[in-house]
Amino acid sequence: MALSRLSLRSNRFLRPSTTAAALPSSIRRHVSTDTTPITIETAVPFESHLCDAPSRSVETSSAEILSFFRDMARMRRMEIAADSLYKSKLIRGFCHLYDGQEALAVGMEAAITRKDAIITSYRDHCTFLGRGGELVDAFSELMGRKRGCSNGKGGSMHFYKKDACFYGGHGIVGAQIPLGCGLAFAQKYSKEEFVTFTLYGDGAANQGQLFEALNIAALWDLPAILVCENNHYGMGTATWRSAKSPAYFKRGDYVPGLKVDGMDALAVKQACKFAKEHALKNGPIVLEMDTYRYHGHSMSDPGSTYRTRDEVSGVRQVRDPIERVRKLLLSHDIATEKELKDMEKEVRKEVDDAVAQAKESPVPEPSELFTNMYVKDCGVESFGADRKELKVTLT
Amino acid sequence: MAARIHGGAGAGAATALSTFNPKKLVAPSRTNLPAARSSKRCIVAGGGSDASKSLSVRHSQKLIASAAVATKAETSATTGTGHELLLFEALQEGLEEEMDRDPHVCVMGEDVGHYGGSYKVTKGLADKFGDLRVLDTPICENAFTGMGIGAAMTGLRPVIEGMNMGFLLLAFNQISNNCGMLHYTSGGQFTIPVVIRGPGGVGRQLGAEHSQRLESYFQSIPGIQMVACSTPYNAKGLMKAAIRSENPVILFEHVLLYNLKEKIPDEEYICNLEEAEMVRPGEHITILTYSRMRYHVMQAAKTLVNKGYDPEVIDIRSLKPFDLYTIGNSVKKTHRVLIVEECMRTGGIGASLTAAINENFHDYLDAPVMCLSSQDVPTPYAGTLEEWTVVQPAQIVTAVEQLCQ
């Protein structure tokens, strides 16, 4: 249904058809740098709670939509590469993949700056990439190499990028929510006009600490935006089985909320822009992003015991974020099929190169076990089983 | 004012420590623990048979931290002018000085602002620094501890107060996973310079849930430091050092020690976070202790001195990491160790310290390390029973006599 609505709308903006082959290359637009504003309507309206929903007309540009496509394609490829690396046992432990939810990461980035903070849970690979993280750093961290963004000591669930205000990367469900409100508090304390986006899932939405933190954020007027990435399943439990009230954007009660189609990058961008303005003036707001993950909860979860394959493929056909943007690009004549396919090939190569590079990079030295325990002023000593073999001062 | 870092030597045994007045024992209300002089001193005859009788008769004195053994008090306080204050005031002074010095320091906790702090440690700070730096939180330890840690990730230096240490169990996940581990799992990108502080320990019939010793639960969290203060001097010094440290520090205070009076220097000073304090040098036996048990030990030391023993008393202060340098030197001198602590027997600080001493200094020991700790029971309400859960001076004397045979 969303598909038909999109094509219906795009027909209104359809330019007179000219194929790329017909146009001589000298007068082709340079699409990747074209920033003339375009206005596009979102397919699904916003639902709001205690506030006025933003307009459905999103201001964007060809360059931006193209960057959405490229970034989402890169994220998708990265996650698929991670899938096969996990199956070949190069990535161990837990690996939570984000494919299907990419629109959230790119849409959010388009609305904010690198000084606004983002903190999320363990499904953090794409958010890291969105914040400017390098593919090779991500893959190195996943494979436990020294080159990794956390020196190989964090793993899949602990990606951080301090210079881009990306605060991770947290393994315990919901524990990042008070941290996120603390980041917002620090922003308010320093009187800089930045906000914090605290991401959590529909599973974490039932945690007490969410409501504790929301209470404090509302009480102290913190510039905190709590984003519920509702992918409808908390591991194997569907939302209707875990939440009495699955309207997560309303659960803030006294805090305004907005429900957004999380598979539409432009809608996400609009909502995040709206939320940032709101948070700076009026304090916290809850965003519920209606999204979906194609993989299971993690690589250990096939993802098919609690949902049908038809459901997954149905969402992929109708709501896939990358396909949406592709159709937008094609219908607005911003790029051709071939250009987009070439772009995807480039991205694929990028990812493959990064994987190869990460595979070659060295594992951490054994002495790294004891580094970054304390900031250098403690002098704690630690011993191994054989004191003569291993005796070290924690640094 | 130039700051001076004092090592632990001799600073603790100031002579002018005041004691609680047994006659004024009221039902503990948070804001007015009585503080006055007690003239009675309890000399406990050694041995256990009449101990219970004397304990029940002189019940009130036994709970009191009495004056320390008069030793060489070589604090600068005695040489210079100094000023006398109570322990909670010393904590407040330290906190205030650090808040003046660094605008990134803020305080958050329940009733720390307008109420002035349930133990008056933050009294007056809200008026001076405002609501944004002294924050009254709702009752949600998990959330405000997490918020403090999140704020610390960006560079603020929050001092998080647990109204009672036991309440911090609700924030255990934040303290363990985020506070302790974020520096490591982020590959060194973030430092967490928080101070988590609050009163703990067995008070005066506060009941099981309000008499907890959390040192034992937190001690194996990697990445944190733990210190326990016991005198106004080291309370202020450790508070300041903890705030200045880039590592997360948990500062353990004790409910019954807030009204100790001592003269502390006027000049600025901080205490070393990783150093133990030599309370009373001696030759025969090393007694290691911390927090309130220091006073029980010193009380027992008076008896022991009368009996001809010469105990060396060390207030270990740093619970994580242990100051094995000072402790080791002492063990090498005396060859006998007695640990007196208020923690539980199982898995307490004493248990870890016993293991550490045995591992490191086994060759120097003439006798097994003995550890006196609280009983493995929830702290009962009844006063007589509560006394028996905690180590009393009589037991310390007996233990020393046994070890020194």
Side-chain angles (χ1 to χ4, degrees):
Chain A
M1 189 163 101
L3 175 60
S4 55
R5 251 199 239 159
L6 182 63
S7 46
L8 195 64
R9 261 177 226 298
S10 56
N11 278 331
R12 283 195 224 150
F13 300 110
L14 205 57
R15 314 269 170 89
S17 56
T18 43
T19 59
L23 272 162
S25 51
S26 53
I27 61 169
R28 288 279 298 288
R29 288 158 296 144
H30 292 284
V31 290
S32 54
T33 51
D34 185 1
T35 51
T36 46
I38 307 175
T39 310
I40 298 184
E41 290 246 332
T42 64
V44 175
F46 297 108
E47 272 179 68
S48 69
H49 168 73
L50 292 185
C51 65
D52 291 322
S55 152
R56 279 168 71 178
S57 305
V58 187
E59 261 207 27
T60 176
S61 68
S62 320
E64 190 172 62
I65 307 180
L66 208 59
S67 77
F68 281 178
F69 183 83
R70 184 184 274 279
D71 290 337
M72 286 202 280
R74 188 184 293 125
M75 291 175 181
R76 178 69 60 92
R77 268 265 56 88
M78 172 178 74
E79 297 296 70
I80 294 177
D83 177 302
S84 53
L85 283 175
Y86 192 89
K87 286 177 176 142
S88 33
K89 292 210 196 289
L90 281 164
I91 300 178
R92 315 300 300 268
F94 291 126
C95 189
H96 306 86
L97 299 178
Y98 203 71
D99 52 326
Q101 299 183 214
E102 300 91 350
L104 228 158
V106 300
M108 189 179 287
E109 285 299 327
I112 63 178
T113 68
R114 286 279 160 80
K115 291 276 183 111
D116 295 304
I118 297 185
I119 188 169
T120 182
S121 66
Y122 40 78
R123 211 176 291 279
D124 56 354
H125 306 165
C126 297
T127 321
F128 172 73
L129 226 58
R131 286 263 94 179
E134 295 285 330
L135 279 167
V136 70
D137 291 339
F139 283 118
S140 306
E141 184 62 34
L142 287 172
M143 292 195 267
R145 307 299 167 101
K146 193 155 69 163
R147 167 93 200 246
C149 49
S150 302
N151 299 343
K153 301 208 292 202
S156 159
M157 298 187 282
H158 299 283
F159 282 21
Y160 305 92
K161 196 168 192 338
K162 184 173 185 185
D163 52 10
C165 292
F166 177 52
Y167 291 90
H170 296 275
I172 304 294
V173 170
Q176 76 275 13
I177 301 173
L179 290 184
C181 289
L183 298 173
F185 170 71
Q187 284 168 331
K188 180 169 175 137
Y189 194 95
S190 62
K191 298 192 170 53
E192 295 168 352
E193 299 271 293
F194 297 118
V195 296
T196 300
F197 283 81
T198 306
L199 280 65
Y200 59 96
D202 47 287
N206 300 315
Q207 277 263 322
Q209 46 193 334
L210 164 60
F211 298 98
E212 292 178 13
L214 207 57
N215 178 40
I216 299 187
L219 205 56
W220 295 350
D221 271 322
L222 302 182
I225 298 154
L226 283 92
V227 181
C228 178
E229 297 178 288
N230 182 7
N231 56 25
H232 303 282
Y233 295 95
M235 202 162 88
T237 308
T239 48
W240 61 270
R241 288 180 65 224
S242 68
K244 184 74 178 170
S245 159
Y248 297 106
F249 68 109
K250 287 191 188 163
R251 300 235 304 217
D253 188 19
Y254 41 82
V255 173
L258 197 67
K259 182 164 174 172
V260 186
D261 178 4
M263 305 293 255
D264 180 352
L266 289 168
V268 172
K269 174 189 168 182
Q270 184 81 328
C272 291
K273 195 150 150 281
F274 169 77
K276 176 168 176 176
E277 280 162 23
H278 184 280
L280 284 173
K281 277 205 306 278
N282 304 329
I285 182 170
V286 178
L287 296 180
E288 180 187 336
M289 302 286 183
D290 189 350
T291 180
Y292 200 85
R293 53 167 165 81
Y294 298 141
H295 271 88
H297 165 73
S298 72
M299 287 304 297
S300 343
D301 170 29
S304 51
T305 54
Y306 47 87
R307 51 186 192 175
T308 60
R309 288 193 204 281
D310 288 339
E311 181 187 304
V312 186
S313 48
V315 175
R316 213 188 264 273
Q317 273 169 16
V318 175
R319 296 181 70 199
D320 185 80
I322 301 182
E323 288 312 304
R324 259 203 179 147
V325 173
R326 189 198 300 270
K327 288 192 175 62
L328 212 56
L329 290 167
L330 293 175
S331 67
H332 285 249
D333 220 16
I334 299 175
T336 63
E337 275 286 345
K338 185 172 178 310
E339 282 173 338
L340 294 180
K341 280 223 174 359
D342 285 341
M343 208 178 277
E344 281 181 308
K345 280 208 194 87
E346 272 168 40
V347 162
R348 187 167 187 150
K349 184 166 183 313
E350 231 184 293
V351 170
D352 288 342
D353 284 345
V355 171
Q357 207 182 338
K359 274 185 189 168
E360 297 302 312
S361 78
V363 291
E365 306 287 314
S367 61
E368 287 277 322
L369 179 63
F370 302 106
T371 57
N372 296 132
M373 272 302 306
Y374 296 100
V375 179
K376 262 190 171 59
D377 57 83
C378 198
V380 185
E381 279 207 323
S382 182
F383 310 112
D386 181 351
R387 175 169 318 202
K388 291 187 191 56
E389 252 319 292
L390 184 60
K391 176 173 175 165
V392 80
T393 307
L394 296 179
T395 56
Chain B
M1 280 190 202
R4 234 185 311 164
I5 300 177
H6 277 242
T15 48
L17 284 170
S18 107
T19 63
F20 303 127
N21 185 341
K23 297 179 187 61
K24 274 209 204 154
L25 268 173
V26 294
S29 100
R30 287 203 167 165
T31 52
N32 60 347
L33 284 171
R37 219 160 281 287
S38 159
S39 49
K40 282 205 189 239
R41 201 178 295 174
C42 20
I43 310 289
V44 179
S49 50
D50 57 357
S52 56
K53 187 154 168 250
S54 58
L55 275 170
S56 56
V57 163
R58 281 182 258 187
H59 153 92
S60 41
Q61 282 93 319
K62 289 293 186 279
L63 293 175
I64 297 161
S66 66
V69 172
T71 63
K72 48 184 166 90
E74 32 165 89
T75 58
S76 59
T78 55
T79 55
T81 43
H83 57 285
E84 213 174 49
L85 43 50
L86 305 177
L87 196 146
F88 75 86
E89 290 168 344
L91 287 167
Q92 187 206 19
E93 228 178 64
L95 190 47
E96 195 172 338
E97 282 174 17
E98 288 305 301
M99 287 181 80
D100 274 328
R101 181 178 169 272
D102 184 354
H104 291 104
V105 181
C106 54
V107 183
M108 49 176 79
E110 295 157 16
D111 281 329
V112 296
H114 296 184
Y115 192 83
S118 56
Y119 289 94
K120 293 185 282 185
V121 174
T122 50
K123 189 168 178 203
L125 296 182
D127 292 328
K128 182 172 175 186
F129 294 107
D131 275 343
L132 199 56
R133 288 188 73 188
V134 183
L135 300 139
D136 279 326
T137 63
I139 305 176
C140 46
E141 281 76 9
N142 196 352
F144 70 72
T145 309
M147 281 184 68
I149 296 167
M153 283 168 93
T154 66
L156 287 191
R157 309 183 83 93
V159 177
I160 301 168
E161 172 171 316
M163 191 182 265
N164 186 291
M165 268 287 166
F167 306 159
L168 290 180
L169 287 172
L170 290 157
F172 206 107
N173 176 53
Q174 296 291 346
I175 296 174
S176 165
N177 287 333
N178 292 331
C179 181
M181 297 192 193
L182 267 173
H183 183 58
Y184 189 85
T185 55
S186 68
Q189 285 180 67
F190 300 112
T191 56
I192 317 286
V194 294
V195 177
I196 298 175
R197 50 160 291 269
V202 176
R204 228 166 276 149
Q205 297 183 251
L206 298 176
E209 290 166 353
H210 293 77
S211 314
Q212 304 210 52
R213 283 76 82 193
L214 253 49
E215 315 72 272
S216 54
Y217 303 151
F218 290 143
Q219 67 176 321
S220 35
I221 298 175
I224 58 162
Q225 278 187 260
M226 306 199 311
V227 286
C229 62
S230 48
T231 66
Y233 180 85
N234 63 34
K236 178 176 173 184
L238 290 174
M239 169 74 95
K240 287 168 73 85
I243 293 175
R244 293 189 196 188
S245 168
E246 291 297 320
N247 295 315
V249 179
I250 305 185
L251 172 57
F252 290 92
E253 302 153 12
H254 197 287
V255 275
L256 290 184
L257 297 183
Y258 278 129
N259 288 338
L260 285 179
K261 195 185 280 195
E262 189 186 359
K263 205 172 195 187
I264 65 170
D266 286 330
E267 319 83 69
E268 201 183 7
Y269 68 94
I270 57 179
C271 292
N272 193 335
L273 281 177
E274 296 100 30
E275 219 172 296
E277 192 178 312
M278 177 71 71
V279 184
R280 182 192 188 285
E283 296 289 325
H284 291 163
I285 181 171
T286 300
I287 306 184
L288 302 171
T289 180
Y290 66 93
S291 193
R292 179 172 165 238
M293 287 296 112
R294 167 186 173 140
Y295 296 97
H296 282 203
V297 166
M298 292 313 288
Q299 198 177 330
K302 277 188 291 209
T303 314
L304 289 168
V305 164
N306 288 339
K307 291 188 170 198
Y309 294 98
D310 188 19
E312 177 155 295
V313 181
I314 295 179
D315 181 343
I316 60 174
R317 264 184 9 198
S318 172
L319 305 179
K320 184 180 170 96
F322 293 132
D323 179 6
L324 289 176
Y325 181 72
T326 310
I327 295 172
N329 284 341
S330 180
V331 174
K332 288 174 192 173
K333 187 167 66 165
T334 66
H335 310 295
R336 290 180 161 78
V337 181
L338 172 67
I339 301 171
V340 180
E341 56 156 1
E342 204 175 315
C343 231
M344 314 299 248
R345 178 129 206 83
T346 306
I349 296 289
S352 301
L353 194 51
T354 308
I357 294 174
N358 278 327
E359 261 180 22
N360 287 296
F361 309 116
H362 186 259
D363 291 335
Y364 297 97
L365 291 170
D366 284 345
V369 175
M370 200 180 206
C371 179
L372 296 179
S373 21
S374 297
Q375 306 307 314
D376 278 329
V377 294
T379 312
Y381 163 73
T384 42
L385 292 181
E386 185 185 62
E387 255 175 58
W388 278 109
T389 62
V390 175
V391 179
Q392 300 297 335
Q395 296 159 328
I396 302 172
V397 172
T398 316
V400 169
E401 287 176 337
Q402 266 178 9
L403 271 178
C404 288
Q405 260 156 18

